Amino acid sequence: MKEVLTKRIIPCLDVKEGRVVKGVKFVNLRDAGDPVELAAVYDREGADELVFLDITASYEKRGIMVDVARRTAEEVFFPYTVGGGIRTMEDIRNLLSAGADKVSLNTAAVKNPQIVREASKKFGSQCIVVAIDAKRVQGSRFKVQGEENLGLPTPNSQLPTLKWEVYINGGRTPTGLDAVEWARKVESLGAGEILLTSMDMDGTKNGYDIALTRAVSSAINMPVIASGGAGKLEHFLEVIVEANADAVLAASLFHYGELTIREVKEYLRDHGISVRL
Amino acid sequence: MIVIVDYGMGNLRSVQKGFEKVGYEAFITSDPEVIRKSSGVVLPGVGAFADAMHNLRASGLGDAVLEILSQSKPFLGICLGLQLLFTESEEDGLHKGLGIIKGRVLRLPTEVKVPHMGWNRIKKVCEAPILQGISDGSYFYFVHSYYVDPKDSDIVCTTTEYGIEFTSSIWKDNIFAVQFHPEKSSKLGLKILKNFGGMVYAHLPRS
């Protein structure tokens, strides 16, 4: 397939009860905890999209995120996604009508895959992202339902196949699902995009999980956003070139000003990658 | 007064807030009379072509929009609001559009991922007032699966490449329409809304 769209650079903000956590260290901010003001900063800096990850613990307080989405739509004029804690069709409708361009489903999709089908039918595939938190299964091979039909090596094979397991509830609960199979499944249900986070690499700054990203992006036809592990410029290039990621997400790297969106874009452009500058 | 036509197809607040951001008040309305009295009309919209036409007809909003189009009041179509101007669309069977612009709405080719979603470049074919201050090769945000194929190539304002080279905006007299989303295209998108606002107010008779 011909690559025609630019690769997207996406900062992610963790929001708790309407406030940004993991402090953002930009200068000249009126309120470093205000998600809307930070979204506007990233828009000015040339981010292609933004992800808000709602980490509010109590379900009752989740309405606050709808308000954040609404205020963002009033101030910021580029695409943004809201994820975290979305459970029902009503939650999705509320966020989209508040002005979010996409919602990202994680735990809800695993617990009730039909919500992916229903939501993509109702609101369009383009606004339904499935977030997958994946962790490498160490040592032994990972048993997957129906695996014998996939033509994989037998369990006695000398070379263990790399496998990743899907976790939910903010990475606390293993599901027994194979990440690549799960990505295929949600594609068949109508999801429009995968936000793929490597739990092994997240926070390490040692680079994205290339093998994971490649395994998922080559198994499906929809865009994959690589997440978890970005620490330097080379990591962005690597996951785009070697794993065919359509977009790259990073959080603290941008928030702490270690790299700017523009630096990443210029680096990618200088290495022959098409970006919006 | 700029009005944004609300015919039940998608979220219109971003468009309204975009106009506010660049200094123009815009009103969202589903009242055909308000549209008739306006000095400039914006027809946004996302969703299925057939549903959109059904809603426009059933509500009487389609007739009001047609009246505006036949006068010389500035009109801005966005995304589905561009496609609806055409004779017909191939989306989910063949459906008649408003028929103001001759041509058909076609499915993007299968060699590329559909929907076409993301930032893509425009190639300027003409110097329309709506594109004032926007340079050739600028990026705009697209989300669509169908594109317009006008019969009259003179109305093509910009083209964009995605599997094929398609018409990404048109200009005919008082009618401007874009396939991309100015309200989601950051600074340059707002510039388009600003240009449109300027035209609406330049067009008003001096009191």
Side-chain angles (χ1 to χ4, degrees):
Chain A
M1 196 168 290
K2 203 177 147 210
E3 295 290 343
V4 279
L5 285 176
T6 56
K7 299 294 183 183
R8 293 167 286 154
I9 314 299
I10 308 176
C12 176
L13 292 168
D14 286 0
V15 180
K16 188 177 181 183
E17 296 176 16
R19 304 286 297 168
V20 173
V21 294
K22 282 192 203 166
V24 178
K25 294 184 180 167
F26 287 121
V27 286
N28 300 328
L29 283 180
R30 271 172 297 150
D31 177 0
D34 179 16
V36 179
E37 187 173 355
L38 292 171
V41 169
Y42 279 122
D43 181 12
R44 281 199 297 276
E45 289 220 321
D48 296 304
E49 288 176 32
L50 182 81
V51 171
F52 288 120
L53 183 61
D54 187 10
I55 55 165
T56 304
S58 115
Y59 191 71
E60 288 66 41
K61 289 185 178 167
R62 287 196 180 275
I64 298 170
M65 201 57 215
V66 175
D67 184 53
V68 169
R70 186 175 299 120
R71 289 193 296 121
T72 304
E74 289 170 5
E75 293 291 329
V76 180
F77 299 93
F78 77 140
Y80 63 96
T81 303
V82 178
I86 297 167
R87 289 191 202 173
T88 64
M89 287 289 284
E90 196 54 31
D91 294 341
I92 297 171
R93 185 195 319 276
N94 289 342
L95 288 164
L96 294 177
S97 52
D101 296 275
K102 311 179 205 178
V103 293
S104 121
L105 304 172
N106 188 334
T107 305
V110 170
K111 287 190 172 164
N112 171 26
Q114 288 312 312
I115 196 173
V116 177
R117 188 193 293 278
E118 228 181 298
S120 58
K121 210 168 164 177
K122 178 89 189 163
F123 305 109
S125 287
Q126 79 283 349
C127 58
I128 305 302
V129 180
V130 171
I132 301 178
D133 291 342
K135 193 171 180 177
R136 218 173 260 233
V137 176
Q138 298 296 342
S140 67
R141 280 163 37 77
F142 179 60
K143 184 118 182 68
V144 187
Q145 205 186 345
E147 185 179 296
E148 44 289 354
N149 302 327
L150 297 175
L152 294 171
T154 64
N156 296 326
S157 160
Q158 288 298 309
L159 284 170
T161 315
L162 281 176
K163 291 280 187 188
W164 296 266
E165 183 175 5
V166 177
Y167 280 63
I168 56 172
N169 294 323
R172 289 185 299 273
T173 315
T175 63
L177 290 166
D178 173 79
V180 175
E181 286 309 305
W182 177 233
R184 280 203 187 101
K185 166 90 174 168
V186 297
E187 178 173 48
S188 74
L189 290 171
E193 194 164 52
I194 296 287
L195 198 180
L196 181 64
T197 302
S198 160
M199 294 172 60
D200 305 286
M201 301 310 283
D202 203 19
T204 63
K205 299 203 170 181
N206 287 330
Y208 294 96
D209 189 332
I210 302 297
L212 167 67
T213 312
R214 191 194 293 123
V216 171
S217 74
S218 61
I220 58 175
N221 248 325
M222 56 182 164
V224 173
I225 306 168
S227 157
K232 53 181 184 177
L233 290 168
E234 290 79 358
H235 294 153
F236 293 94
L237 182 65
E238 192 178 63
V239 77
I240 287 169
V241 172
E242 292 178 31
N244 201 24
D246 297 275
V248 285
L249 182 141
S252 54
L253 197 62
F254 293 137
H255 303 333
Y256 295 128
E258 290 166 45
L259 286 176
T260 65
I261 303 280
R262 190 165 187 94
E263 282 170 335
V264 173
K265 287 193 165 185
E266 283 174 352
Y267 178 85
L268 291 174
R269 179 201 57 197
D270 293 346
H271 287 79
I273 305 294
S274 159
V275 288
R276 177 180 69 108
L277 264 169
Chain B
M1 181 180 66
I2 300 172
V3 301
I4 300 167
V5 185
D6 181 5
Y7 57 112
M9 301 303 285
N11 175 30
L12 313 177
R13 279 183 71 248
S14 298
V15 179
Q16 183 189 30
K17 294 295 169 186
F19 275 112
E20 271 178 32
K21 189 85 181 171
V22 296
Y24 293 106
E25 207 173 356
F27 298 87
I28 296 176
T29 185
S30 51
D31 181 352
E33 286 316 307
V34 174
I35 291 169
R36 289 192 175 93
K37 285 181 196 144
S38 70
S39 36
V41 170
V42 183
L43 186 67
V46 286
F49 188 93
D51 293 349
M53 276 312 295
H54 172 82
N55 292 359
L56 283 176
R57 283 197 195 100
S59 59
L61 289 165
D63 287 338
V65 168
L66 282 170
E67 275 175 43
I68 288 285
L69 288 169
S70 66
Q71 301 162 1
S72 53
K73 290 177 182 174
F75 172 93
L76 176 63
I78 298 174
C79 195
L80 191 55
L82 158 70
Q83 300 182 358
L84 292 167
L85 300 175
F86 280 69
T87 315
E88 56 197 3
S89 168
E90 285 186 350
E91 182 177 346
D92 269 334
L94 199 59
H95 299 279
K96 277 212 173 335
L98 291 169
I100 283 284
I101 306 284
K102 285 198 176 65
R104 213 175 235 204
V105 183
L106 307 168
R107 175 96 179 161
L108 285 166
T110 47
E111 303 85 69
V112 284
K113 288 180 187 174
V114 173
H116 171 212
M117 177 170 68
W119 295 90
N120 206 339
R121 302 183 105 121
I122 54 157
K123 189 162 106 189
K124 277 174 98 167
V125 180
C126 75
E127 285 297 334
I130 195 90
L131 295 179
Q132 206 182 6
I134 289 165
S135 45
D136 188 43
S138 295
Y139 283 100
F140 288 90
Y141 190 72
F142 289 81
V143 185
H144 63 121
S145 301
Y146 290 80
Y147 68 96
V148 298
D149 185 21
K151 262 215 165 91
D152 176 7
S153 60
D154 287 349
I155 64 166
V156 176
C157 209
T158 64
T159 61
T160 293
E161 271 190 50
Y162 190 69
I164 48 155
E165 190 174 347
F166 70 88
T167 300
S168 49
S169 69
I170 62 158
W171 172 32
K172 187 187 178 190
D173 307 323
N174 55 319
I175 303 172
F176 301 92
V178 295
Q179 182 59 66
F180 50 83
H181 290 269
E183 78 282 11
K184 287 290 171 185
S185 297
S186 200
K187 210 167 52 185
L188 294 180
L190 292 178
K191 176 73 181 148
I192 285 190
L193 299 184
K194 191 171 183 180
N195 287 345
F196 183 74
M199 282 188 285
V200 171
Y201 286 95
H203 176 266
L204 285 179
R206 287 192 188 171
S207 52

